[in-house]
Amino acid sequence: MTNAPVVTRFAPSPTGHLHVGNIRTALHNWMWAQRMGGRFLLRIDDTDAERSDESYVTAIRADLAWLGLNPDGEARQSERFALYEQRFAELVAAGRVYPAYESQQELELKRKIQLGRGLPPIYDRAALALSDADRAALEAAGTRPHWRFRLDHDAPIVWTDLIRGPQRFDPVTMSDPVVRRADGSWLYLLPSVIDDIDMGISHVVRGEDHVSNTAAQVQMFSALGATPPAFAHAALLTGSEGKLSKRLGSLGAAQFRDAGIEPQAIVALLARLGTSDAVEPLADRAPLIERFDFARFGRAPARFDEGELAQLNARIVHQLPFAAVRDRLPANMDAAAWDAIRPNLETVAGAAEWWQVIAGPIDAPADPDDRPFLAAAAAMAATIDWGADPWHALTAALKETSGRKGRALFHPLRRALTGRDSGPDMAALLPLIGRDQAIARLSA
Ligand code: GLU
């Protein structure tokens, strides 16, 4: 362990909305920075002007804010081209980046031939064999080069991944990666490394779909004179069926918000999914941060189950204090009403329905057989003490006078008073419905 400060980054390309897998990566980066007292940066990977869209940048920031994953700084790759140019020139001068002139078709043909011979389709480095005169001729003919990073074949590429353990790649089995296109535009690999160095990133935390990129990038760090950061590659998420699902790719903060999912539920689930720790309905982040550790992550794909999220969400809603939700509750709904209703909710939005039950009007057609009993209840409701616990006072008195008990006693009252067969505790609800309204409902 070095004493370098912990700096993590979440580096989305603004080519779409964040999906649940991206959110999980952002969370892991945020968690680790929190846990280590470090910094969490947002880096917008917008080198591809064609595919990047400003509306996605705005949406990414808004999603992170909604989730409470606030970056300690933000950078945009599109503002950093001068730095990439400078470091690229160093690599060219050192012979670690070289121009290559093959067209897509030529490369495709080479691949086909290799595959046809049963060989792995690795770039043959033909461009490295070109003489100055060859290159000059190609350029005179109008061919502009793309640029490849020359992998060092002399030693295996190794790192100890914080999640996957020891990793080993043989560079001989890898193609020299293209880092820059013929039109001068950048591919993701090299600018990312240049930024990670420049920003002092201590931990690169991302999905395991990047493991082979990491192998190439480890050499890029060294070629640029830097020690590679620590890497943590989390196993990917699968759908509840256990397969990589299309659905996950379209599930983002907007869908969660629309479904009434609280950010705390997403955080509680995604901080633990794929780890050896049980998922718990923790509305508070502190205990999640405290236990967050890459060492607890497993290698198997983690199953993301929307049903599990909905259940966790309900258990988190049950803990939310009035102050945290008042902006989203019906006007006039007070803390007492929230406390009474909360244990019955799956989402905060569901409170509106119960507030309607409390404030009225409600529609509660009574069973004709229950009418005399309800009339007696209305009369009784006018005489009991409403100060303390009217529900127990009312039901105790009615039990005496009517001889009813259990469901026969409680159910007609609940139906008449709320219009529902089930719901929040009547002892909490009745004082909120109030004396006059309760009498009116019982005598309706
Ligand atoms: N822009 C890259 C992506 O979205 C970043 C990967 C990384 O974290 O380095 O996949």
Side-chain angles (χ1 to χ4, degrees):
M1 271 297 220
T2 64
N3 292 322
V6 166
V7 186
T8 64
R9 87 295 193 279
F10 173 52
S13 305
T15 54
H17 288 285
L18 299 184
H19 58 67
V20 55
N22 305 135
I23 291 173
R24 180 168 179 248
T25 297
L27 177 67
H28 292 164
N29 278 284
W30 182 85
M31 283 272 176
W32 188 243
Q34 295 293 312
R35 161 86 201 277
M36 303 304 285
R39 282 161 37 85
F40 164 67
L41 306 180
L42 172 61
R43 188 185 80 200
I44 302 290
D45 281 6
D46 57 352
T47 55
D48 188 339
E50 283 285 294
R51 293 180 58 232
S52 299
D53 193 305
E54 203 53 33
S55 69
Y56 292 127
V57 177
T58 310
I60 288 166
R61 289 191 194 115
D63 287 352
L64 292 180
W66 181 67
L67 291 158
L69 308 181
N70 296 312
D72 300 304
E74 181 184 312
R76 296 185 65 138
Q77 290 199 318
S78 58
E79 291 166 359
R80 301 172 57 81
F81 289 132
L83 176 65
Y84 307 152
E85 211 58 76
Q86 178 198 326
R87 306 249 47 198
F88 175 79
E90 290 172 37
L91 292 175
V92 174
R96 289 307 297 273
V97 162
Y98 62 91
Y101 296 84
E102 294 90 345
S103 66
Q104 280 303 330
Q105 281 126 311
E106 282 171 276
L107 291 172
E108 203 38 55
L109 188 62
K110 286 188 192 205
R111 281 171 54 88
K112 279 201 183 128
I113 293 170
Q114 285 167 317
L115 290 170
R117 291 186 186 146
L119 299 169
I122 300 165
Y123 177 60
D124 62 6
R125 293 187 155 177
L128 275 180
L130 296 174
S131 66
D132 288 348
D134 294 335
R135 277 193 293 272
L138 282 159
E139 298 202 11
T143 310
R144 296 188 57 194
H146 55 277
W147 301 82
R148 289 185 184 263
F149 178 76
R150 185 173 58 74
L151 292 168
D152 178 357
H153 283 184
D154 289 347
I157 299 168
V158 292
W159 78 91
T160 301
D161 197 277
L162 296 178
I163 294 175
R164 299 166 59 84
Q167 302 292 297
R168 187 187 178 90
F169 283 77
D170 181 355
V172 175
T173 65
M174 296 161 61
S175 289
D176 287 340
V178 176
V179 293
R180 200 169 186 183
R181 300 184 190 89
D183 65 3
S185 65
W186 300 97
L187 282 106
Y188 145 78
L189 284 176
L190 184 59
S192 181
V193 170
I194 294 171
D195 283 341
D196 287 339
I197 295 170
D198 188 58
M199 295 170 188
I201 301 300
S202 62
H203 293 76
V204 168
V205 179
R206 55 192 181 188
E208 68 178 10
D209 49 331
H210 280 289
V211 167
S212 57
N213 287 337
T214 300
Q217 287 179 323
V218 162
Q219 283 209 356
M220 293 180 188
F221 279 99
S222 307
L224 288 163
T227 306
F231 290 96
H233 292 92
L236 300 183
L237 288 185
T238 65
S240 45
E241 336 74 54
K243 288 185 301 206
L244 276 174
S245 83
K246 258 200 190 143
R247 168 112 184 113
L248 291 192
S250 62
L251 212 52
Q255 287 70 33
F256 292 135
R257 205 164 28 223
D258 290 350
I261 302 295
E262 302 296 318
Q264 290 95 323
I266 298 168
V267 168
L269 180 62
L270 295 183
R272 293 274 175 92
L273 207 58
T275 75
S276 53
D277 284 337
V279 172
E280 295 174 273
L282 295 167
D284 180 9
R285 290 168 188 219
L288 291 168
I289 293 166
E290 206 175 301
R291 275 194 76 77
F292 185 83
D293 195 337
F294 297 116
R296 292 204 175 81
F297 279 70
R299 296 278 309 262
R303 248 175 220 227
F304 176 81
D305 182 339
E306 287 177 72
E308 184 182 13
L309 178 62
Q311 276 180 21
L312 189 68
N313 190 60
R315 294 172 71 187
I316 286 196
V317 168
H318 302 166
Q319 302 168 47
L320 296 178
F322 179 63
V325 296
R326 70 186 312 161
D327 297 347
R328 292 186 282 152
L329 298 179
N332 304 330
M333 189 171 156
D334 58 11
W338 171 251
D339 290 344
I341 288 171
R342 186 172 73 159
N344 222 64
L345 297 178
E346 280 167 19
T347 64
V348 172
E353 186 188 331
W354 287 107
W355 177 244
Q356 173 68 33
V357 165
I358 291 170
I362 60 158
D363 185 24
D367 185 332
D369 292 349
D370 286 326
R371 290 251 160 79
F373 169 66
L374 293 172
M380 190 65 80
T383 66
I384 58 164
D385 173 12
W386 278 78
D389 184 352
W391 175 250
H392 287 108
L394 179 67
T395 51
L398 285 169
K399 191 174 176 183
E400 283 289 311
T401 55
S402 70
R404 290 194 186 215
K405 57 182 183 184
R407 186 178 159 85
L409 172 64
F410 299 118
H411 185 252
L413 295 173
R414 176 182 281 281
R415 265 212 74 82
L417 289 164
T418 68
R420 314 288 153 116
D421 292 320
S422 61
D425 182 8
M426 285 304 297
L429 227 41
L430 188 56
L432 299 165
I433 292 170
R435 181 180 186 275
D436 295 348
Q437 194 164 222
I439 294 171
R441 289 181 188 181
L442 291 168
S443 24

